[in-house]
Amino acid sequence: MEWANQLCENRQFGSKMTDSKYFTTTKKGEIFELKAELNSDKKEKKKEAVKKVIASMTVGKDVSALFPDVVNCMQTDNLELKKLVYLYLMNYAKSQPDMAIMAVNTFVKDCEDANPLIRALAVRTMGCIRVDKITEYLCEPLRKCLKDEDPYVRKTAAVCVAKLHDINAQLVEDQGFLDTLKDLISDSNPMVVANAVAALSEIAESHPNSNLLDLNPQSINKLLTALNECTEWGQIFILDCLANYTPRDDRESQSICERVTPRLSHANSAVVLSAVKVLMKFMEMLPKDLDYYGTLLKKLAPPLVTLLSAEPELQYVALRNINLIVQKRPEILKHEMKVFFVKYNDPIYVKLEKLDIMIRLASQANIAQVLAELKEYATEVDVDFVRKAVRAIGRCAIKVEQSAERCVSTLLDLIQTKVNYVVQEAIVVIKDIFRKYPNKYESVIATLCENLDSLDEPEARAAMIWIVGEYAERIDNADELLESFLEGFHDESTQVQLQLLTAIVKLFLKKPTETQELVQQVLSLATQDSDNPDLRDRGYIYWRLLSTDPVAAKEVVLAEKPLISEETDLIEPTLLEELICHIGTLASVYHKPPSAFVEGSRGVMHKRLPARTGSGESTESPDVGTAAGGSAPEAAPSIIPSQGDLLGDLLNLDMAPPTTTGPPPPNTGMQMGGMDLLGGGLDSLLGGDIGGSPAMGAGFGAAPAVMPASLNAPVGGGLGDLFDLGGGVGMPMGAYIPPKTVWLPAMKAKGLEISGTFARRAGVIQMELILTNKAMSVMTDFAIQFNRNSFGLAPAGPLQVLTPLGPNQTIEVSLPLSTVGPVMKMDPLNNLQVAVKNNIDVFYFSCQYPISMLFVEDGKMERQVFLATWKDIPNDNESQFQIKDCHLNSDAASSKLQGSNIFTIAKRTVEGQDMLYMSIKLSNGIWVLAELRVQAGNPNYTISLKCRAPEVSQCVFQCYEAVLKN
Amino acid sequence: MIGGLFIYNHKGEVLISRVYRDDIGRNAVDAFRVNVIHARQQVRSPVTNIARTSFFHVKRSNIWLAAVTKQNVNAAMVFEFLYKMCDVMTAYFGKISEENIKNNFVLIYELLDEILDFGYPQNSETGALKTFITQTGIKSQSKEEQSQITSQVTGQIGWRREGIKYRRNELFLDVLESVNLLMSPQGQVLSAHVSGRVVMKSYLSGMPECKFGMNDKIVIDKQGKGGGATGQSIAIDDCTFHQCVRLSKFDAERSISFIPPDGECELMRYRTTKDIILPFRVIPLVREVGRTKLEVKVVIKSNFKPSLLAQKIEVRIPTPLNTSGVQVICMKGKAKYKASENAIVWKIKRMAGMKESQISAEIELLPTNDKKKWARPPISMNFEVPFAPSGLKVRYLKVFEPKLNYSDHDVIKWVRYIGRSGIYETRC
């Protein structure tokens, strides 16, 4: 309160005083004084007193004792005073609920005031008072205000519905406010529309399955019209809402894009970014050969560049987003490298982001310019920035082969500066360059070794040790160098210890005669004196390997390493897609899905980009490879692109990436559902020889969170035995099982062919697979893993292929599935992405399962419940389908459907038409109600489906069709 | 949406605190103070996540404005809102300072109540706000006035109130450009761009419908088919507009039409990279005489109409760190060696077009054993010229007010062009 006292003095000096004097009341007994003033007869004095109260409240003092006195001032014509009292009420009503009731009457009265400003003020404030009793009284005035003649009152009331929903969601639904809110979307006033959209969007977020926003071409058209007329903020609300819509086909997509592009010229950057989001999303649906597609790409670049002339904070937001856009669609900004050059006066956060984007845009065409810039940056003052610049040089070398030599010489120059952190950073990146271009630049090793003593960071030490171990045969005093590290073995970080262990084993295998003592020393240090299980396990494995079969040890430890790929820090494709759907928001700034930083149910819904060309999507047979619209199966190259994704986890390959991006790596572990298939300690060794060094991987790469974190990752093979899975010959229960189809052709999987189907047997979902080896060599070590999917399907046990699969051999396997895995909405809903690994490689395919697999046995609904539920589900959720050419009578159909857990609850015959009422329950608890109409002699059935989650209807219908026709 | 808004002074004391959402507790105020304002390290990002709560902040002089949320809000919107909030406060009480904020805290709370409802930004145009949020308290209004206020606040033209009257209808257009250049010693342009703004100050009665025309290449080419050459046109890379401009109309016809806010507004911003008129050419000549002496000669040439005058010309010639003494001779203006800035600063008050001037300097160096060569930073220049280096010309600004009896001819219009140097550098 020092400044308050100072101000007090100021007053004594007669300086001009206004409201700041209210901040000065801090003496003892002031509450008492205030009380007296609040009850004063003089209006002015009252107002002064309330101002003092608000000032105290602001600085965090508890003035709740004055509640009754302040509320007494509420009845006034003075709008300014009224607002102050309201402000007080909002703060303290919750702590004094009984007293707050006193205010209700005034609110209700104010809601009927002749002045619209007062009506709006009352309804706005009332919504902020979170006291149950007051909320009850709020409903009537709110209902009136939602239909008020004045738009100002309506726009305020629209927001109030969102407030009320936050306090008591049930009440809002019961009172029918949601429908009124929906009506406001068609209001004549654009601001009312905008606020209604904002409120509905937020409410819809906490009801992922409700069809609240009900976006359809008509409502979209209304929104697009309002877009031209409302305030900048309203435009943002509307654009953000539009981004949630999925157009039906490419034509609709194009027409929306055409109407959104004018927003790219708005002065408000948030409007521009939200428009970019809509365009980036809808562009997915446009065919690439369309002229408009090219036009749109060209239109996106200039506004993105313009964002960089905004204030620095906005530049930062823009750059974080551009980083995503560049990864998704590099072609947009490929010619704009220069605008990302760092300016001397940029704040550090802008500099770091620009640097990141520069690397992403680096190509053979512009590499000379980029390198010149990076060299400049490496001499700046900010340590983080310099480090990043040095790493960037290494990344350039890896990305653009032609520049590698120049990069290496630049790095050597930098090492000559002897600036400690520059040297360490340079060594770390040089290690990666060695990985990328083996046997090319090893001449620099001598220079590196000179700097051995100055390395004090674990990462740099580990990198140096790796280099020494890897090139032990070329370094004369490799044993001395490594020995020197060994002295302080226990003080080193785990990363360095693991690296040292591996390096010394490598050295031993290369120069066995001179280094026997050294290797024994390190093995005993690792196994006997260390309590780190990773280190100990690795030590033991080396030890046993060396003692049982040195030749094998050599093959394992000195195996040829796969090259590291150019882009190692790309965001995992599914995450990238999700983030693209969140352009402009916090998620895009953090590069994390909203679920990683938002509590509760909000924002947990995963968003996905729409699939290209929305038509022709309802394929019945799973189409291999590209079904998921350019996600994992398509994008996965033979070199694993980034650590932390599903596939990396499968093999636990540690592909040490050269750098990480600026912010802390996203905590992706929880979405990955990673499963440690190889289990136990073995993988740390296996990871070691394939990936070079697991320890380094963990250190350079992202968080250790990429380790298995899936809730239900089944470890160990016991589970599978519980279910008798004798080669997939289950007991036919009458349930429909689609014929097996080829999911993975041998051509695409180095000789492994997989065909299969899904079945539900005795309540257990099974994936029945036929694996055929069409290659010349034996296949072993099979394992399977699913990507997140709509219903959380996950293997309930490991893939039981116990004997190696010889050439031309076929094996049938049944894999029991559980439905408690990680969930992500897929398109189509029943799409499943699968990765299968064997000793040769990892293969990906996607298939679609009949949703009837998920129909559970206790899906028979009580008649009464059925009736009530049918009525309760809004008619909008009803969808109708035709089943043609079906020659069963209604009873036969009913019993056939029963076999697939579709239960007939009642039957009614009206004028020769049989009406069957059926219920289905999905494994995740969703109920689907159906009405099947069968006309005697007419082979065409009509079926109506009602469900709270209408998106499943299409799949359910497909099941009906499949079951009835087979 | 925005869960709360706090304003702190430089010490981290709260001046204003307004919480909009229930999920933001009082401790959020302290969390920001402790983790950002009082943080030991300089802030590395304008967005901070503390215990699943996100804070956005901007600083104005030594005042911190922070918005806080627990949701996945539109981050760009939050920053735009914070800037807007600053604009509104400035429009109401001038500079954003601790004293001004304390003096106006009641007003600020009132504004916050109006422009942010449950964390959703609402109309925040000062023009509209000033009609019903005043420091003097609202006088009793007639019913018509009230509904006029509300329809204006929520209306399509939220930035302008109705019933404005001026005896003299007048408008001022300023075309303000900053020209940026990086040139090689040989005179080759490495990169050049102009970023420009059109600022409009209007004092017009009623609700005037305005149409702004400039020599935009796309428009001229379209018209050119009928009319023939109409002088120079320019290619605009990108432009953005004040929210009063009808964007869909611009997108479809490339015509800029709007109803302006009363008073000053930034009508548009634009960027051009082609056919830029570079007002000055700098020709450097640096000769190293032995290891302890440098000879520098710099010629500047003005490259515009002789009738025009450039002002506030300043040429900054960097000198090596080990400079011990400098002798300068210049034909025009004044030149001085500033040791603290490691540069020779040459100032010329005025210079007409198509002229040339020269400076030569001898720089004495201290011998050093630093092997590293002097990096030779570029020579930079500042100036102001009375034309637009992009070549942009205002072709017309038509005003229509159908309801009042003044026509386009009665409006007095002033157009001014100012070109300033941005980063204008020549390598030597």
Side-chain angles (χ1 to χ4, degrees), chain A residues 413-454:
Chain A
D413 284 351
L414 290 172
I415 287 177
Q416 298 302 349
T417 63
K418 303 276 177 198
V419 178
N420 187 286
Y421 54 86
V422 175
V423 174
Q424 310 211 39
E425 214 60 49
I427 287 185
V428 172
V429 294
I430 286 180
K431 180 216 70 189
D432 289 318
I433 296 177
F434 285 168
R435 286 283 307 280
K436 171 80 182 179
Y437 310 107
N439 305 318
K440 226 171 158 187
Y441 300 110
E442 280 74 8
S443 52
V444 307
I445 289 176
T447 323
L448 301 186
C449 290
E450 286 166 23
N451 293 287
L452 212 60
D453 299 334
S454 64

Short mmCIF file of all heavy atoms in Angstrom, two decimals, chain A residues 413-454:
data_model
loop_
_atom_site.label_atom_id
_atom_site.label_comp_id
_atom_site.label_asym_id
_atom_site.label_seq_id
_atom_site.Cartn_x
_atom_site.Cartn_y
_atom_site.Cartn_z
N ASP A 413 34.54 -23.09 -37.29
CA ASP A 413 34.88 -21.70 -36.97
C ASP A 413 34.34 -21.32 -35.61
O ASP A 413 35.00 -20.66 -34.81
CB ASP A 413 34.27 -20.75 -38.01
CG ASP A 413 35.05 -20.77 -39.32
OD1 ASP A 413 36.13 -21.39 -39.33
OD2 ASP A 413 34.57 -20.18 -40.30
N LEU A 414 33.10 -21.74 -35.40
CA LEU A 414 32.45 -21.37 -34.14
C LEU A 414 33.14 -22.05 -32.95
O LEU A 414 33.26 -21.47 -31.88
CB LEU A 414 30.97 -21.75 -34.17
CG LEU A 414 30.12 -20.89 -35.11
CD1 LEU A 414 28.72 -21.44 -35.24
CD2 LEU A 414 30.07 -19.45 -34.62
N ILE A 415 33.58 -23.28 -33.17
CA ILE A 415 34.28 -23.97 -32.09
C ILE A 415 35.56 -23.21 -31.74
O ILE A 415 35.96 -23.10 -30.59
CB ILE A 415 34.58 -25.43 -32.49
CG1 ILE A 415 33.28 -26.23 -32.47
CG2 ILE A 415 35.60 -26.06 -31.56
CD1 ILE A 415 33.39 -27.66 -32.92
N GLN A 416 36.18 -22.62 -32.77
CA GLN A 416 37.41 -21.86 -32.54
C GLN A 416 37.17 -20.65 -31.63
O GLN A 416 38.10 -20.16 -30.99
CB GLN A 416 38.01 -21.37 -33.87
CG GLN A 416 38.43 -22.46 -34.82
CD GLN A 416 39.46 -23.42 -34.24
OE1 GLN A 416 40.03 -23.16 -33.18
NE2 GLN A 416 39.69 -24.53 -34.91
N THR A 417 35.96 -20.15 -31.59
CA THR A 417 35.70 -18.99 -30.73
C THR A 417 35.88 -19.36 -29.26
O THR A 417 36.05 -18.49 -28.43
CB THR A 417 34.26 -18.47 -30.88
OG1 THR A 417 33.36 -19.49 -30.45
CG2 THR A 417 33.95 -18.08 -32.31
N LYS A 418 35.82 -20.65 -28.96
CA LYS A 418 36.01 -21.15 -27.60
C LYS A 418 34.94 -20.66 -26.63
O LYS A 418 35.12 -20.75 -25.42
CB LYS A 418 37.40 -20.76 -27.04
CG LYS A 418 38.56 -21.24 -27.88
CD LYS A 418 38.92 -22.66 -27.56
CE LYS A 418 40.05 -23.13 -28.49
NZ LYS A 418 40.17 -24.58 -28.52
N VAL A 419 33.91 -20.06 -27.14
CA VAL A 419 32.82 -19.68 -26.23
C VAL A 419 32.16 -20.98 -25.78
O VAL A 419 31.69 -21.76 -26.61
CB VAL A 419 31.78 -18.78 -26.94
CG1 VAL A 419 30.64 -18.45 -26.00
CG2 VAL A 419 32.45 -17.52 -27.44
N ASN A 420 32.15 -21.19 -24.50
CA ASN A 420 31.79 -22.49 -23.95
C ASN A 420 30.49 -23.08 -24.52
O ASN A 420 30.49 -24.18 -25.05
CB ASN A 420 31.72 -22.36 -22.44
CG ASN A 420 31.52 -23.69 -21.78
OD1 ASN A 420 30.44 -24.22 -21.84
ND2 ASN A 420 32.57 -24.25 -21.20
N TYR A 421 29.40 -22.32 -24.40
CA TYR A 421 28.14 -22.93 -24.82
C TYR A 421 28.05 -23.11 -26.33
O TYR A 421 27.36 -23.99 -26.82
CB TYR A 421 26.94 -22.15 -24.28
CG TYR A 421 26.93 -20.67 -24.60
CD1 TYR A 421 26.41 -20.19 -25.78
CD2 TYR A 421 27.44 -19.75 -23.68
CE1 TYR A 421 26.41 -18.84 -26.06
CE2 TYR A 421 27.44 -18.40 -23.96
CZ TYR A 421 26.92 -17.94 -25.15
OH TYR A 421 26.92 -16.61 -25.43
N VAL A 422 28.77 -22.27 -27.05
CA VAL A 422 28.78 -22.44 -28.51
C VAL A 422 29.47 -23.75 -28.88
O VAL A 422 28.98 -24.54 -29.69
CB VAL A 422 29.50 -21.25 -29.19
CG1 VAL A 422 29.62 -21.48 -30.68
CG2 VAL A 422 28.75 -19.96 -28.91
N VAL A 423 30.59 -24.00 -28.22
CA VAL A 423 31.36 -25.22 -28.50
C VAL A 423 30.50 -26.45 -28.20
O VAL A 423 30.40 -27.38 -29.01
CB VAL A 423 32.64 -25.25 -27.63
CG1 VAL A 423 33.35 -26.58 -27.79
CG2 VAL A 423 33.55 -24.10 -28.01
N GLN A 424 29.85 -26.45 -27.05
CA GLN A 424 29.06 -27.62 -26.65
C GLN A 424 27.92 -27.89 -27.63
O GLN A 424 27.66 -29.01 -28.04
CB GLN A 424 28.49 -27.43 -25.25
CG GLN A 424 29.58 -27.00 -24.28
CD GLN A 424 29.32 -27.50 -22.88
OE1 GLN A 424 28.87 -28.61 -22.69
NE2 GLN A 424 29.63 -26.68 -21.90
N GLU A 425 27.27 -26.79 -28.01
CA GLU A 425 26.16 -26.92 -28.93
C GLU A 425 26.66 -27.46 -30.27
O GLU A 425 26.03 -28.32 -30.88
CB GLU A 425 25.54 -25.54 -29.11
CG GLU A 425 24.07 -25.53 -29.32
CD GLU A 425 23.28 -26.13 -28.19
OE1 GLU A 425 23.53 -25.78 -27.03
OE2 GLU A 425 22.41 -26.97 -28.47
N ALA A 426 27.80 -26.96 -30.70
CA ALA A 426 28.34 -27.36 -31.99
C ALA A 426 28.67 -28.85 -31.97
O ALA A 426 28.42 -29.57 -32.95
CB ALA A 426 29.59 -26.54 -32.30
N ILE A 427 29.22 -29.34 -30.86
CA ILE A 427 29.58 -30.76 -30.80
C ILE A 427 28.33 -31.63 -30.88
O ILE A 427 28.31 -32.66 -31.57
CB ILE A 427 30.38 -31.03 -29.51
CG1 ILE A 427 31.77 -30.42 -29.72
CG2 ILE A 427 30.46 -32.52 -29.20
CD1 ILE A 427 32.76 -30.66 -28.64
N VAL A 428 27.28 -31.19 -30.21
CA VAL A 428 26.04 -31.96 -30.26
C VAL A 428 25.54 -32.09 -31.70
O VAL A 428 25.13 -33.16 -32.14
CB VAL A 428 24.96 -31.32 -29.36
CG1 VAL A 428 23.63 -31.99 -29.57
CG2 VAL A 428 25.38 -31.41 -27.90
N VAL A 429 25.59 -30.98 -32.44
CA VAL A 429 25.07 -31.08 -33.80
C VAL A 429 26.02 -31.81 -34.75
O VAL A 429 25.57 -32.47 -35.67
CB VAL A 429 24.66 -29.72 -34.41
CG1 VAL A 429 23.50 -29.14 -33.68
CG2 VAL A 429 25.82 -28.75 -34.45
N ILE A 430 27.30 -31.70 -34.47
CA ILE A 430 28.24 -32.41 -35.35
C ILE A 430 28.01 -33.92 -35.24
O ILE A 430 28.09 -34.66 -36.22
CB ILE A 430 29.69 -32.03 -35.00
CG1 ILE A 430 29.96 -30.61 -35.52
CG2 ILE A 430 30.69 -33.01 -35.61
CD1 ILE A 430 31.33 -30.09 -35.27
N LYS A 431 27.69 -34.38 -34.04
CA LYS A 431 27.38 -35.80 -33.87
C LYS A 431 26.25 -36.22 -34.83
O LYS A 431 26.31 -37.27 -35.45
CB LYS A 431 26.95 -36.05 -32.42
CG LYS A 431 26.62 -37.50 -32.15
CD LYS A 431 25.47 -37.60 -31.17
CE LYS A 431 24.20 -37.14 -31.81
NZ LYS A 431 23.07 -36.99 -30.93
N ASP A 432 25.25 -35.35 -34.93
CA ASP A 432 24.15 -35.68 -35.84
C ASP A 432 24.59 -35.67 -37.30
O ASP A 432 24.10 -36.45 -38.10
CB ASP A 432 23.00 -34.70 -35.65
CG ASP A 432 22.29 -34.94 -34.33
OD1 ASP A 432 22.07 -36.11 -34.00
OD2 ASP A 432 21.98 -33.97 -33.63
N ILE A 433 25.49 -34.75 -37.59
CA ILE A 433 25.98 -34.70 -38.98
C ILE A 433 26.72 -36.00 -39.30
O ILE A 433 26.59 -36.55 -40.39
CB ILE A 433 26.88 -33.47 -39.17
CG1 ILE A 433 26.04 -32.20 -38.98
CG2 ILE A 433 27.53 -33.47 -40.55
CD1 ILE A 433 26.79 -30.91 -39.08
N PHE A 434 27.48 -36.51 -38.33
CA PHE A 434 28.14 -37.81 -38.53
C PHE A 434 27.14 -38.90 -38.81
O PHE A 434 27.36 -39.79 -39.62
CB PHE A 434 28.94 -38.19 -37.27
CG PHE A 434 30.22 -37.41 -37.10
CD1 PHE A 434 30.92 -37.46 -35.91
CD2 PHE A 434 30.73 -36.65 -38.14
CE1 PHE A 434 32.09 -36.75 -35.75
CE2 PHE A 434 31.90 -35.93 -37.98
CZ PHE A 434 32.58 -35.98 -36.78
N ARG A 435 26.03 -38.84 -38.09
CA ARG A 435 25.01 -39.86 -38.28
C ARG A 435 24.42 -39.81 -39.69
O ARG A 435 24.05 -40.82 -40.26
CB ARG A 435 23.87 -39.67 -37.28
CG ARG A 435 24.20 -40.07 -35.87
CD ARG A 435 24.18 -41.58 -35.70
NE ARG A 435 22.94 -42.19 -36.15
CZ ARG A 435 21.83 -42.21 -35.43
NH1 ARG A 435 21.81 -41.69 -34.23
NH2 ARG A 435 20.75 -42.80 -35.89
N LYS A 436 24.30 -38.58 -40.19
CA LYS A 436 23.67 -38.41 -41.49
C LYS A 436 24.66 -38.70 -42.63
O LYS A 436 24.30 -39.30 -43.63
CB LYS A 436 23.13 -36.98 -41.58
CG LYS A 436 22.62 -36.58 -42.95
CD LYS A 436 21.23 -37.11 -43.23
CE LYS A 436 20.81 -36.70 -44.63
NZ LYS A 436 19.50 -37.18 -44.99
N TYR A 437 25.87 -38.25 -42.47
CA TYR A 437 26.86 -38.47 -43.54
C TYR A 437 28.04 -39.25 -42.98
O TYR A 437 29.11 -38.66 -42.71
CB TYR A 437 27.35 -37.14 -44.11
CG TYR A 437 26.24 -36.20 -44.50
CD1 TYR A 437 25.97 -35.07 -43.74
CD2 TYR A 437 25.45 -36.45 -45.62
CE1 TYR A 437 24.95 -34.21 -44.09
CE2 TYR A 437 24.43 -35.59 -45.97
CZ TYR A 437 24.17 -34.46 -45.20
OH TYR A 437 23.16 -33.62 -45.54
N PRO A 438 27.90 -40.53 -42.79
CA PRO A 438 29.00 -41.29 -42.19
C PRO A 438 30.22 -41.27 -43.12
O PRO A 438 30.08 -41.19 -44.35
CB PRO A 438 28.43 -42.71 -42.03
CG PRO A 438 27.11 -42.73 -42.69
CD PRO A 438 26.75 -41.37 -43.13
N ASN A 439 31.38 -41.34 -42.52
CA ASN A 439 32.65 -41.43 -43.25
C ASN A 439 32.89 -40.25 -44.19
O ASN A 439 33.40 -40.40 -45.28
CB ASN A 439 32.71 -42.72 -44.07
CG ASN A 439 32.48 -43.92 -43.17
OD1 ASN A 439 32.99 -43.98 -42.05
ND2 ASN A 439 31.65 -44.83 -43.63
N LYS A 440 32.49 -39.08 -43.78
CA LYS A 440 32.71 -37.94 -44.66
C LYS A 440 33.46 -36.83 -43.95
O LYS A 440 34.35 -36.22 -44.52
CB LYS A 440 31.37 -37.42 -45.15
CG LYS A 440 31.39 -37.17 -46.65
CD LYS A 440 30.02 -36.87 -47.17
CE LYS A 440 30.15 -36.10 -48.48
NZ LYS A 440 28.84 -35.65 -48.93
N TYR A 441 33.07 -36.56 -42.74
CA TYR A 441 33.65 -35.40 -42.07
C TYR A 441 34.46 -35.77 -40.84
O TYR A 441 34.69 -34.95 -39.98
CB TYR A 441 32.53 -34.43 -41.67
CG TYR A 441 31.75 -33.95 -42.86
CD1 TYR A 441 30.44 -34.34 -43.07
CD2 TYR A 441 32.36 -33.10 -43.78
CE1 TYR A 441 29.75 -33.91 -44.17
CE2 TYR A 441 31.67 -32.66 -44.90
CZ TYR A 441 30.36 -33.07 -45.09
OH TYR A 441 29.69 -32.64 -46.18
N GLU A 442 34.88 -37.05 -40.77
CA GLU A 442 35.53 -37.48 -39.54
C GLU A 442 36.87 -36.79 -39.31
O GLU A 442 37.44 -36.85 -38.23
CB GLU A 442 35.71 -39.01 -39.53
CG GLU A 442 34.46 -39.77 -39.15
CD GLU A 442 33.41 -39.78 -40.25
OE1 GLU A 442 33.70 -39.34 -41.37
OE2 GLU A 442 32.29 -40.24 -39.98
N SER A 443 37.36 -36.11 -40.34
CA SER A 443 38.64 -35.42 -40.18
C SER A 443 38.58 -34.35 -39.08
O SER A 443 39.62 -33.94 -38.57
CB SER A 443 39.03 -34.77 -41.50
OG SER A 443 37.95 -33.98 -41.96
N VAL A 444 37.37 -33.93 -38.73
CA VAL A 444 37.30 -32.86 -37.73
C VAL A 444 37.38 -33.39 -36.30
O VAL A 444 37.44 -32.63 -35.36
CB VAL A 444 36.00 -32.04 -37.88
CG1 VAL A 444 35.86 -31.53 -39.30
CG2 VAL A 444 34.79 -32.86 -37.48
N ILE A 445 37.41 -34.73 -36.18
CA ILE A 445 37.35 -35.30 -34.83
C ILE A 445 38.48 -34.77 -33.95
O ILE A 445 38.28 -34.44 -32.78
CB ILE A 445 37.39 -36.84 -34.90
CG1 ILE A 445 36.06 -37.34 -35.45
CG2 ILE A 445 37.65 -37.45 -33.54
CD1 ILE A 445 35.99 -38.82 -35.67
N ALA A 446 39.65 -34.61 -34.55
CA ALA A 446 40.79 -34.13 -33.78
C ALA A 446 40.47 -32.80 -33.12
O ALA A 446 40.73 -32.59 -31.93
CB ALA A 446 42.00 -34.01 -34.70
N THR A 447 39.89 -31.90 -33.92
CA THR A 447 39.54 -30.58 -33.37
C THR A 447 38.56 -30.72 -32.21
O THR A 447 38.65 -30.02 -31.20
CB THR A 447 38.87 -29.72 -34.47
OG1 THR A 447 39.52 -29.98 -35.70
CG2 THR A 447 38.93 -28.26 -34.12
N LEU A 448 37.60 -31.63 -32.39
CA LEU A 448 36.60 -31.82 -31.34
C LEU A 448 37.27 -32.29 -30.05
O LEU A 448 36.95 -31.80 -28.97
CB LEU A 448 35.56 -32.84 -31.77
CG LEU A 448 34.77 -32.55 -33.04
CD1 LEU A 448 33.67 -33.58 -33.24
CD2 LEU A 448 34.17 -31.15 -33.01
N CYS A 449 38.20 -33.23 -30.22
CA CYS A 449 38.83 -33.81 -29.04
C CYS A 449 39.59 -32.76 -28.23
O CYS A 449 39.71 -32.87 -27.01
CB CYS A 449 39.77 -34.94 -29.44
SG CYS A 449 38.88 -36.38 -30.01
N GLU A 450 40.07 -31.72 -28.91
CA GLU A 450 40.78 -30.67 -28.19
C GLU A 450 39.91 -30.01 -27.14
O GLU A 450 40.40 -29.45 -26.17
CB GLU A 450 41.25 -29.59 -29.18
CG GLU A 450 42.41 -30.01 -30.03
CD GLU A 450 42.60 -29.04 -31.19
OE1 GLU A 450 42.15 -27.88 -31.08
OE2 GLU A 450 43.19 -29.46 -32.21
N ASN A 451 38.58 -30.03 -27.39
CA ASN A 451 37.69 -29.30 -26.51
C ASN A 451 37.05 -30.16 -25.43
O ASN A 451 36.12 -29.72 -24.76
CB ASN A 451 36.59 -28.63 -27.33
CG ASN A 451 37.16 -27.55 -28.20
OD1 ASN A 451 37.52 -26.49 -27.73
ND2 ASN A 451 37.29 -27.85 -29.49
N LEU A 452 37.58 -31.35 -25.31
CA LEU A 452 36.99 -32.32 -24.40
C LEU A 452 36.81 -31.77 -22.99
O LEU A 452 35.77 -31.96 -22.36
CB LEU A 452 37.89 -33.55 -24.36
CG LEU A 452 37.20 -34.87 -24.13
CD1 LEU A 452 36.20 -35.12 -25.23
CD2 LEU A 452 38.24 -35.97 -24.13
N ASP A 453 37.81 -31.04 -22.54
CA ASP A 453 37.80 -30.62 -21.14
C ASP A 453 36.74 -29.55 -20.86
O ASP A 453 36.27 -29.41 -19.74
CB ASP A 453 39.17 -30.06 -20.74
CG ASP A 453 40.22 -31.15 -20.90
OD1 ASP A 453 39.83 -32.32 -20.80
OD2 ASP A 453 41.39 -30.81 -21.17
N SER A 454 36.41 -28.79 -21.88
CA SER A 454 35.51 -27.67 -21.62
C SER A 454 34.04 -28.09 -21.60
O SER A 454 33.17 -27.28 -21.34
CB SER A 454 35.71 -26.58 -22.68
OG SER A 454 35.35 -27.10 -23.95
#
